[in-house]
Amino acid sequence: TQGVSSAASDVYKRQGYMYRKILVAYNGTPESRSALQECVRLAPTPATEVHLLVVVSPPQSVVIGEYAMVSMLGVEEEIAVERQKMEDELKIGLNHLRDAGLNVQAHLEVGEPVPMISDLVDKLGIELVIVGHSRQQSLAMRWWRGSTDALLVEKIRCSLLVASDPDEKKAV
């Protein structure tokens, strides 16, 4: 086990702790705040590595690629504004988890969420990913467009916990 002493590893085995490395995907939405809460509810030990990931998504015009008719300067400015917003959200999430006594490492990445999460899972040896899920969108829309949590199931090789706000009303 990387980064965990053999004594700490023995404690995990004896006491039956499930996860040593957890990745929480966060973006400041109510759904992602639910993911933070689920992480806290798991009550990981101080030896558990909790990684908080915030992803700055490129503007839709960049994702479209060669058909985009947007100046790169405008795109760079848009990414810079979004990056600052996500840095602020990262601080909020980091403080929330640290206030709960968790050992947290922050990650701010630019790209699409699913590949960023998948890459960190592989790179860090993550055992559990926690994401938020919104019920505001209908099942038909989630199926047609694809949902992040559904795509993650196919991409990552670890457990996935999908958190939702228990107070949120279901979409019809």
Side-chain angles (χ1 to χ4, degrees), residues 124-160:
L124 300 172
I126 298 295
E127 298 167 339
L128 173 68
V129 172
I130 305 174
V131 297
H133 174 73
S134 175
R135 293 184 178 136
Q136 294 299 320
Q137 200 175 37
S138 71
L139 178 60
M141 282 302 291
R142 286 194 306 267
W143 175 82
W144 179 72
R145 287 185 57 230
S147 64
T148 299
D149 39 303
L151 295 170
L152 273 174
V153 168
E154 297 298 321
K155 294 284 185 188
I156 61 174
R157 299 292 173 238
C158 68
S159 297
L160 175 64

Side-chain angles (χ1 to χ4, degrees), residues 108-128:
L108 180 69
E109 302 290 339
V110 177
E112 291 300 314
V114 172
M116 293 290 110
I117 293 168
S118 180
D119 288 349
L120 272 181
V121 165
D122 294 341
K123 180 179 164 187
L124 300 172
I126 298 295
E127 298 167 339
L128 173 68

Side-chain angles (χ1 to χ4, degrees), residues 135-136 165-171:
R135 293 184 178 136
Q136 294 299 320
D165 183 351
D167 297 328
E168 184 179 56
K169 292 182 181 181
K170 293 181 181 178

Side-chain angles (χ1 to χ4, degrees), residues 38-55:
E38 285 299 319
C39 184
V40 171
R41 285 182 58 203
L42 285 173
T45 69
T48 302
E49 288 180 29
V50 177
H51 296 269
L52 180 62
L53 172 64
V54 171
V55 178

Side-chain angles (χ1 to χ4, degrees), residues 63-74:
V63 176
I64 298 170
E66 64 189 67
Y67 299 107
M69 301 297 268
V70 176
S71 74
M72 286 310 290
L73 181 58

Side-chain angles (χ1 to χ4, degrees), residues 51-115:
H51 296 269
L52 180 62
L53 172 64
V54 171
V55 178
V56 178
S57 296
Q60 199 60 29
S61 57
V62 173
V63 176
I64 298 170
E66 64 189 67
Y67 299 107
M69 301 297 268
V70 176
S71 74
M72 286 310 290
L73 181 58
V75 169
E76 288 173 9
E77 288 172 1
E78 210 173 321
I79 290 174
V81 168
E82 186 67 13
R83 183 180 187 93
Q84 182 58 55
K85 178 182 158 195
M86 290 295 101
E87 284 175 2
D88 294 343
E89 290 298 340
L90 183 60
K91 289 175 190 171
I92 291 168
L94 200 56
N95 288 336
H96 181 80
L97 294 175
R98 286 185 175 158
D99 288 348
L102 303 182
N103 172 21
V104 187
Q105 296 176 35
H107 304 271
L108 180 69
E109 302 290 339
V110 177
E112 291 300 314
V114 172

